[in-house]
Amino acid sequence: MVDRKHERQSNLELLRIVAMVMIICCHFATYNDFGPTNIFSTKILGLSMLRLGGKTGVILFVMVTGYFMISKPFKWKRIMDLSRQTIFFSIVMALLAFVTEGIRPGVVGVLKIVFPLLLENYWFPTDFALILLLSPILNKLVHHNDRRLLFYGLVVAIGFTGLPIVTPDMKNNLIGLAIAYVLGAYIHTGNIKLSNLRLLSGMVTVLMTTTVITGVLIATSRFSYTAFQYRLFFVTGFNISAFCVAFLMFLAFEKWKFGNASIINLVASTTFGVYLFHDSRVFRNIMWHKIINPTEWHGTNLLFGFILTIVSIFGFGMMMDFVRQFMFRICSEIVAYIKKQFRSTSINDRDIN
């Protein structure tokens, strides 16, 4: 998703992997109907808490981008690479939908495959491309403001976005991603020192508080419209819990420096492909409802099925992105060879003339 040739910190590459696993966990609960979410049970509460991983993972992804890009110039190549990868998976997932269910894309569907960023074939690549376009402005915002002022600005922005202060659904994706980018950049430009004990206790406190609040809202949502309206507020969207957990997780992984681990870097390079594989609009219903169908699982079968599903989705997506990387590498080498031959021919023509 971003240029990482010169800065590969395996601790943050591992964070990318963890973030993608969290996103898959969220989609496991979100894209399947396990029953009404306004009737309390430990199963519904547990599945509801899995949703917290969705936007937390997204925030972590963009925080890593802001962390590394705060001092880098804007390059169109990043958006072109993002577009090519999204086009590749758009084509592959459309083919899988046709092979498995005979689904043929219409004119609009074909246009979305060809122009996935412009026509938002996936929500995240489109908004992420906009963040890349805005990165020079966001970088100036971080560099040209006092750190204390920037800190209070982030607190206010996260508060208005992540708490039901104005409306129960003030969760604009672009605003949330911009805040995540600035948050990652803010961490890189400063030396935030928190002990491991404080980070762990903070994370436990946030998760326990979120669990209790969500459980109470679910339990009372059958009798209160306000509780029904807010029952999943703190586990979905760009909520306050997601920002807090992402911030604490990022600091913990940033401190955990264990050198360069090539296998982690390799797996992490496929994480965006894993996302494009499993969150395709044209194929995800087929995958979740026809191929996996976890709503039929109960008890320990649900637990083991959940683990197997996460591992399988990540594994398949990873292998598909390895294939994409190989194909793109071959194409790049062919293009480079043709350009070299063309330059040689041009030089020879000039020498003859």
Side-chain angles (χ1 to χ4, degrees):
M1 289 167 60
V2 294
D3 184 8
R4 302 194 296 272
K5 290 182 179 179
H6 303 294
E7 288 186 89
R8 298 295 297 271
Q9 297 183 22
S10 293
N11 53 328
L12 296 183
E13 296 299 312
L14 178 60
L15 182 59
R16 293 182 196 271
I17 298 172
V18 173
M20 182 49 56
V21 171
M22 293 168 65
I23 291 171
I24 300 173
C25 291
C26 167
H27 291 163
F28 180 90
T30 302
Y31 294 146
N32 294 289
D33 184 10
F34 291 99
T37 56
N38 62 336
I39 299 177
F40 181 84
S41 69
T42 54
K43 176 182 176 180
I44 291 300
L45 178 59
L47 290 167
S48 298
M49 288 303 298
L50 284 180
R51 296 188 177 202
L52 181 60
K55 286 301 185 287
T56 303
V58 169
I59 292 169
L60 286 169
F61 258 83
V62 182
M63 284 180 69
V64 172
T65 302
Y67 184 88
F68 285 118
M69 284 186 58
I70 180 60
S71 300
K72 291 184 178 180
F74 172 79
K75 292 182 180 179
W76 281 102
K77 183 180 181 298
R78 295 189 181 102
I79 294 179
M80 296 303 296
D81 290 343
L82 177 70
S83 179
R84 283 193 290 266
Q85 189 173 3
T86 308
I87 290 172
F88 175 85
F89 274 94
S90 295
I91 293 172
V92 170
M93 302 319 294
L95 289 174
L96 283 176
F98 175 73
V99 170
T100 55
E101 292 292 319
I103 298 174
R104 299 173 182 269
V107 175
V108 175
V110 172
L111 289 174
K112 284 188 174 184
I113 291 172
V114 178
F115 305 105
L117 298 186
L118 289 175
L119 299 180
E120 199 176 359
N121 200 27
Y122 296 81
W123 79 267
F124 179 68
T126 296
D127 286 351
F128 184 71
L130 291 174
I131 293 299
L132 293 179
L133 287 171
L134 292 171
S135 61
I137 299 173
L138 297 175
N139 289 346
K140 287 183 179 180
L141 176 69
V142 175
H143 283 304
H144 296 166
N145 279 284
D146 178 76
R147 280 189 58 78
R148 180 172 294 182
L149 178 63
L150 188 61
F151 171 77
Y152 288 125
L154 281 169
V155 170
V156 171
I158 291 172
F160 270 95
T161 305
L163 288 171
I165 296 175
V166 181
T167 66
D169 194 27
M170 188 179 173
K171 303 175 184 179
N172 181 281
N173 288 331
L174 189 60
I175 293 175
L177 295 184
I179 294 172
Y181 182 98
V182 173
L183 189 59
Y186 172 82
I187 292 173
H188 195 191
T189 56
N191 188 18
I192 303 175
K193 293 183 178 180
L194 289 176
S195 67
N196 292 332
L197 180 60
R198 287 188 176 183
L199 290 173
L200 180 60
S201 60
M203 203 173 306
V204 170
T205 300
V206 172
L207 290 174
M208 288 184 63
T209 303
T210 305
T211 303
V212 171
I213 292 174
T214 302
V216 170
L217 289 172
I218 291 174
T220 58
S221 61
R222 295 180 66 186
F223 316 103
S224 167
Y225 177 73
T226 301
F228 177 82
Q229 198 176 18
Y230 291 106
R231 70 195 186 285
L232 299 176
F233 185 93
F234 295 96
V235 293
T236 59
F238 288 95
N239 58 79
I240 189 72
S241 300
F243 276 110
C244 290
V245 171
F247 177 73
L248 294 169
M249 284 185 65
F250 196 101
L251 290 178
F253 274 82
E254 187 197 26
K255 289 180 62 177
W256 186 24
K257 299 184 187 298
F258 51 82
N260 190 295
S262 57
I263 184 63
I264 290 177
N265 298 342
L266 181 64
V267 174
S269 71
T270 69
T271 48
F272 190 53
V274 173
Y275 164 77
L276 294 173
F277 162 68
H278 90 280
D279 202 31
S280 163
R281 286 191 177 102
V282 71
F283 190 72
R284 67 190 181 199
N285 285 335
I286 299 171
M287 181 181 69
W288 288 115
H289 301 156
K290 300 281 182 73
I291 299 175
I292 301 175
N293 195 20
T295 56
E296 300 297 320
W297 306 337
H298 302 283
T300 55
N301 288 337
L302 177 60
L303 176 61
F304 288 119
F306 164 71
I307 296 172
L308 182 61
T309 298
I310 304 306
V311 172
S312 299
I313 288 176
F314 196 102
F316 276 110
M318 180 177 65
M319 296 308 298
M320 288 179 66
D321 200 70
F322 281 147
V323 172
R324 178 198 64 81
Q325 291 180 27
F326 176 77
M327 291 174 62
F328 280 23
R329 192 178 305 118
I330 295 298
C331 290
S332 297
E333 291 175 358
I334 292 173
V335 171
Y337 176 79
I338 293 173
K339 287 182 177 179
K340 182 179 179 181
Q341 294 301 313
F342 179 77
R343 285 196 297 267
S344 299
T345 303
S346 300
I347 293 172
N348 291 335
D349 289 343
R350 287 199 299 268
D351 291 341
I352 292 173
N353 294 330

